[in-house]
Amino acid sequence: DDLDLFLLAEVVRDSVRAPALSARLFEWLQEHYAASPLAPKALLAAAAIDTADADSLRGVLQQTYPASPYALVLVGRGDSAYTALEDSIRLVLRERVESGAVPGRRNQ
């Protein structure tokens, strides 16, 4: 699902140290899970990695998801919604880790 793909892209970025592949995975998530609340976050993650396409990726974020907390925080608005969404994502991730649903990350 979208969270699993997002986590995979993070592992590829942080542990495997394959930034180009990670950026592509983040972009793929946005393309194939466009309605996911993680799609705008994935665009920002891809933009942070792929600096050559960062402006284009942020443009897609602002055009496709103008009401997203991730788009709003880029223009200095929506801080509380951004924080709430990030907290929600962390909670879901923590539940998956504690249940053992995220391989290799249990009890960390």
Side-chain angles (χ1 to χ4, degrees):
D1 69 353
D2 57 340
L3 184 56
D4 291 335
L5 182 55
F6 192 89
L7 292 172
L8 174 63
E10 286 188 326
V11 167
V12 168
R13 179 192 64 205
D14 301 337
S15 297
V16 178
R17 304 221 186 269
L21 176 58
S22 176
R24 185 63 195 121
L25 288 170
F26 284 125
E27 291 173 37
W28 197 89
L29 184 152
Q30 186 274 325
E31 293 165 7
H32 294 276
Y33 293 95
S36 167
L38 290 171
K41 181 178 177 75
L43 285 171
L44 281 181
I49 296 166
D50 187 356
T51 56
D53 285 336
D55 288 340
S56 174
L57 292 167
R58 283 191 294 268
V60 171
L61 169 65
Q62 291 173 329
Q63 183 176 11
T64 308
Y65 307 99
S68 165
Y70 297 104
L72 293 173
V73 82
L74 282 179
V75 295
R77 299 180 10 233
D79 290 338
S80 61
Y82 172 86
T83 301
L85 183 54
E86 284 290 295
D87 289 347
S88 176
I89 291 168
R90 271 191 287 279
L91 178 63
V92 170
L93 177 57
R94 184 175 336 138
E95 289 171 356
R96 285 195 178 191
V97 169
E98 289 173 358
S99 74
V102 179
R105 296 184 84 173
R106 189 175 187 145
N107 297 325
Q108 291 184 350

